[in-house]
Amino acid sequence: MTPRQNAVQLSQVSKRFGRVTAVDDVSLTIEDGEFFSLLGPSGCGKTTTLRLIAGFELPDRGDVFIGGKRQGETPPYQRPVNTVFQNYALFPHMNIAENVAFGLIMRKVPKQDILRRVSAALEMVRLPGMEHRRPDQLSGGQQQRVALARALVNEPQVLLLDEPLGALDMKLRKAMQLELKSLQERVGITFVYVTHDQEEALTMSDRIAVMSRGRVLQVDPPHEVYERPLNRFVADFIGETNFLVGVVKAAGRGKATVAVDGQLPLEVPAERLPGTGEEVTIAIRPEKISLHAEPPDQRAVAGTVDEVVYFGTNTCYLVALTDQTTVTVRCQNQQVGQHVSFPQGARVYLHWQQESVRLLRE
Amino acid sequence: MQPTRTRAIEKIKAMKAVKGTRRPRRRRRGRWLSRLLSLHGLLGYIFLYLPIVILVVFSFNASRHAVAWRGFTLDWYAALFTNKQVGAALVNSLIVAATSTAVSTILGTMVALGMERYEFPGKLPFDALLYLPIVIPDIAMAVMLLLFFVLSRMGLGLMTIVISHIAFNISFVAVVVRARLAFFDVSLEEAAQDLYADEWQTLRRVTLPLIMPGVLAGGLLAFTLSIDDFVITFFTAGPGSTTLPLRIYGMVKLGVTPEINALSSMMLLASMVLVLLSLVLRKGGGEGIELA
């Protein structure tokens, strides 16, 4: 098997705007045919990273490679990438066919090929027969598909998408997520997808790069990012997480024993062993915790139910430990009539599998 | 260490929060004030437009003396079209207006694009200088230009008038085009470049078509300003380069005749059509850009 070629590679790239460092020493390798997401809160540098790949911004330091070729100061119109813009950026003075054909016309593709490829592209995004409409006659979702067709018709090596679903309503967004994913699998083009929506990144991506303050904190497949966050920011940004502060009592053989809330010490798996006496944070997802009226074993942590919130598919319990730390627990409502198992004020025991807990160091 | 704040807690708080809305209080007073203001406005309009109405009415007056009404006639308009001097002045005016409009529209649009798109040292002072021809008195500009032409030993004539008109029109075109560019979505240009259009193709296929209403409006404004400019033209004109406003001035010196009324009325009509066209262009065609 031949090794997979890198579609995009960023090597120690930095970009400053005045005094703000938008992208800070970022190195990334995006493989060919991958659905790669840049995920982070607004202002984390994800859009700037995308613009550095597209060529709208040039790095102050470092190099951008596309298909193994160093880009240097190559202008956007000479890069083998196409972009789907956040606001779609359809040309308002052209009809849909002219919009989609724009890239092909610029590259002087023969006219018959243009007509064929434009209608094929519109077919692909399920907008056939829209050729003569104007952009402002289409709905947001339709404009979004035109923007997609306009980029994909050029068969780029890499498709860059800057929060393309941000302007759509919830239901349409969900539908488009699945559609985008299946489209990407069909055309086999590398997608670099910028989003601040962690759920979107989790459902669509092959790999996710979590960014904060211009830096890449973790690059991993969705389940790894979710189940094994490398640090507190990632654990907090992606999904819900309970953070419990504890003191290391002992460490060894890939495990650390941590005392939380003055209760019995817990054993936590640790890749890098902390020192004894060190203060550490352990992270646990709300759905990984189960509630019990009686302690099922020695490792259970005691608490009191503070609030109960019913969410339909699950019920959320806020459990106060003795040191006033609140732990969120989500219980699936598998059976009718069991949506509240523990009333407010009830004494409960929290229990989880040892492997569900992550040890984080600040 | 703070206790963990979860989204669930925030959700509960949001549900508990009570919304406070206040109804705007209706105004009872001010009805009389508003009537008074309307009257004031009406008087203002009468003051501005009554002389124009009188001018137009008397251009149809059958009397040679402009003061009394002696019946309707189109004679003065007929006389106008056979007047050779007025014809020559009209040709001069059109030459000056067309040339200065063409040049200043191109230069003004380029200035607007440059000022809107690029950062360069000395941009701020340059920006201020750009507005200068709009704010300084015509007479100052006229004297300045005359001095410039005398010092540079240029013979006064149509050429110097054209140059002078370009000098003030660039600013007006630039201002109008910049107003249009301010609403321009830069990502449209980025999209064009992303789709393999180089800088020139982007300008020709995306930027210019989208700002064209602004460019045309600027051009029409320039044309209007040029065709009825008097002060600057008066100072920079030479023998044989009499424009229409200069000709009218010459005629008025011999007394205000209905013929002048007719000529002025026609210029008024032409100006109004041009300004209206310019306004329509400036307003129209903008929806697409704001949407995108």
Side-chain angles (χ1 to χ4, degrees):
Chain A
M1 207 176 105
T2 52
R4 283 179 116 185
Q5 198 200 341
N6 294 336
V8 179
Q9 198 191 338
L10 271 67
S11 164
Q12 296 181 304
V13 172
S14 291
K15 177 72 188 176
R16 296 173 66 89
F17 295 108
R19 298 175 124 204
V20 182
T21 305
V23 173
D24 190 2
D25 196 34
V26 164
S27 294
L28 280 176
T29 303
I30 300 167
E31 282 165 12
D32 205 21
E34 195 174 22
F35 198 122
F36 191 92
S37 290
L38 295 167
L39 174 66
S42 59
C44 73
K46 54 191 194 298
T47 294
T48 306
T49 306
L50 197 78
R51 292 172 62 82
L52 284 164
I53 301 172
F56 299 133
E57 311 286 354
L58 296 175
D60 297 329
R61 275 190 294 125
D63 283 315
V64 176
F65 298 86
I66 300 172
K69 245 183 83 185
R70 187 171 171 271
Q71 294 300 308
E73 295 190 0
T74 311
Y77 50 85
Q78 282 167 7
R79 298 193 181 200
V81 300
N82 288 112
T83 309
V84 176
F85 291 84
Q86 189 169 14
N87 60 357
Y88 318 136
L90 299 180
F91 304 125
H93 59 302
M94 300 181 193
N95 65 28
I96 301 310
E98 288 164 334
N99 263 285
V100 176
F102 193 87
L104 299 175
I105 294 169
M106 287 299 118
R107 284 201 300 180
K108 304 203 165 57
V109 173
K111 197 165 179 222
Q112 293 94 321
D113 290 359
I114 292 181
L115 293 176
R116 187 178 49 75
R117 283 169 72 173
V118 166
S119 57
L122 287 175
E123 194 88 43
M124 184 171 61
V125 297
R126 299 201 276 123
L127 278 179
M130 292 283 189
E131 280 89 343
H132 301 294
R133 300 274 190 94
R134 298 242 154 214
D136 58 10
Q137 293 174 312
L138 301 188
S139 70
Q142 288 173 325
Q143 290 187 30
Q144 210 277 321
R145 287 153 195 261
V146 174
L148 205 58
R150 186 177 69 172
L152 281 174
V153 76
N154 304 294
E155 293 166 10
Q157 284 181 28
V158 181
L159 186 72
L160 308 173
L161 302 104
D162 185 7
E163 307 219 15
L165 307 182
L168 304 181
D169 64 65
M170 189 70 154
K171 218 161 191 173
L172 197 53
R173 206 154 73 204
K174 297 258 184 211
M176 282 303 292
Q177 283 175 13
L178 298 175
E179 210 173 309
L180 264 179
K181 178 72 186 152
S182 74
L183 186 70
Q184 191 264 341
E185 279 161 8
R186 227 165 44 227
V187 295
I189 291 172
T190 311
F191 276 32
V192 182
Y193 192 96
V194 162
T195 182
H196 66 267
D197 184 337
Q198 37 115 356
E199 197 184 312
E200 204 167 282
L202 288 175
T203 42
M204 300 167 80
S205 323
D206 294 320
R207 282 196 305 153
I208 300 172
V210 184
M211 293 186 73
S212 169
R213 294 184 194 173
R215 289 181 163 271
V216 172
L217 301 179
Q218 183 169 3
V219 185
D220 268 317
H223 60 91
E224 284 283 308
V225 172
Y226 187 79
E227 306 285 4
R228 300 161 70 82
L230 281 182
N231 54 42
R232 186 171 176 142
F233 180 86
V234 176
D236 197 22
F237 188 72
I238 303 196
E240 271 179 300
T241 307
N242 293 298
F243 295 105
L244 305 171
V245 178
V247 179
V248 177
K249 293 290 179 198
R253 283 178 286 123
K255 276 181 180 171
T257 312
V258 181
V260 174
D261 191 21
Q263 301 193 33
L264 288 170
L266 304 167
E267 283 201 328
V268 179
E271 278 143 32
R272 288 176 306 167
L273 289 173
T276 309
E278 196 180 324
E279 189 168 90
V280 291
T281 303
I282 64 171
I284 174 115
R285 301 281 184 195
E287 76 276 11
K288 302 274 197 283
I289 307 174
S290 56
L291 292 181
H292 304 271
E294 297 295 330
D297 61 25
Q298 292 290 303
R299 291 186 289 109
V301 176
T304 314
V305 175
D306 224 12
E307 302 250 20
V308 183
V309 190
Y310 177 64
F311 279 93
T313 59
N314 60 60
T315 300
C316 177
Y317 298 90
L318 304 182
V319 179
L321 304 186
T322 48
D323 69 346
Q324 296 310 306
T325 307
T326 308
V327 178
T328 308
V329 182
R330 277 183 189 274
C331 297
Q332 281 293 317
N333 293 323
Q334 286 178 332
Q335 286 169 23
V336 177
Q338 291 212 334
H339 54 276
V340 179
S341 312
F342 301 94
Q344 201 171 336
R347 181 91 180 145
V348 288
Y349 292 89
L350 290 79
H351 186 259
W352 56 76
Q353 302 292 314
Q354 260 186 42
E355 310 78 60
S356 310
V357 183
R358 289 286 292 171
L359 183 82
L360 306 171
R361 275 186 286 178
E362 302 294 295
Chain B
M1 193 71 212
Q2 286 278 325
T4 312
R5 284 279 139 206
T6 62
R7 263 160 238 179
I9 292 178
E10 272 150 33
K11 206 161 187 165
I12 293 159
K13 285 202 173 143
M15 283 189 285
K16 282 178 182 167
V18 184
K19 263 188 194 168
T21 50
R22 200 184 289 171
R23 276 179 140 184
R25 208 186 282 167
R26 279 182 69 187
R27 280 196 181 175
R28 304 239 163 146
R29 293 191 311 132
R31 255 170 75 190
W32 283 103
L33 193 69
S34 123
R35 280 188 188 175
L36 211 65
L37 277 172
S38 306
L39 184 70
H40 185 257
L42 189 69
L43 283 173
Y45 274 107
I46 289 173
F47 178 74
L48 279 173
Y49 290 106
L50 194 64
I52 296 176
V53 173
I54 290 171
L55 173 88
V56 175
V57 167
F58 276 88
S59 72
F60 298 105
N61 191 358
S63 161
R64 214 176 208 305
H65 307 288
V67 280
W69 182 257
R70 290 280 153 76
F72 181 86
T73 181
L74 285 172
D75 285 357
W76 309 118
Y77 287 89
L80 212 55
F81 285 108
T82 52
N83 187 328
K84 288 234 171 61
Q85 283 180 319
V86 168
L90 178 67
V91 169
N92 279 342
S93 270
L94 289 177
I95 289 171
V96 168
T99 333
S100 71
T101 299
V103 176
S104 59
T105 303
I106 293 167
L107 291 179
T109 304
M110 283 164 70
V111 167
L113 280 169
M115 297 296 291
E116 212 43 49
R117 287 282 180 279
Y118 300 99
E119 294 298 323
F120 50 88
K123 183 174 171 172
L124 203 69
F126 187 77
D127 203 4
L129 276 178
L130 192 61
Y131 285 94
L132 209 56
I134 298 176
V135 292
I136 63 168
D138 271 8
I139 188 72
M141 182 128 177
V143 173
M144 262 161 29
L145 284 163
L146 178 61
L147 263 172
F148 170 76
F149 292 133
V150 170
L151 287 174
S152 57
R153 310 223 168 129
M154 280 179 83
L156 296 180
L158 274 187
M159 191 59 179
T160 49
I161 302 177
V162 168
I163 291 172
S164 308
H165 284 203
I166 291 170
F168 67 78
N169 271 338
I170 286 177
S171 301
F172 286 95
V173 174
V175 166
V176 173
V177 175
R178 272 183 85 175
R180 182 86 187 178
L181 275 171
F183 287 102
F184 193 91
D185 180 4
V186 185
S187 71
L188 290 173
E189 288 179 349
E190 286 180 347
Q193 298 213 357
D194 188 66
L195 295 163
Y196 317 108
D198 60 29
E199 287 86 353
W200 173 246
Q201 287 168 318
T202 302
L203 178 71
R204 199 167 65 86
R205 290 182 171 266
V206 174
T207 315
L208 272 185
L210 288 174
I211 62 166
M212 198 41 94
V215 174
L216 289 178
L220 279 173
L221 182 65
F223 192 87
T224 316
L225 289 172
S226 171
I227 209 147
D228 66 19
D229 176 73
F230 177 78
V231 178
I232 291 168
T233 313
F234 183 76
F235 275 71
T236 53
S241 62
T242 307
T243 62
L244 214 46
L246 298 189
R247 168 61 50 206
I248 293 173
Y249 177 69
M251 287 159 78
V252 168
K253 278 202 250 179
L254 307 172
V256 181
T257 60
E259 205 175 343
I260 291 171
N261 287 348
L263 187 53
S264 305
S265 301
M266 296 212 17
M267 283 191 72
L268 183 74
L269 184 70
S271 298
M272 271 166 58
V273 168
L274 287 176
V275 170
L276 265 177
L277 211 58
S278 151
L279 276 177
V280 168
L281 284 171
R282 221 187 295 189
K283 286 251 172 88
E287 293 86 355
I289 290 162
E290 267 112 55
L291 260 179

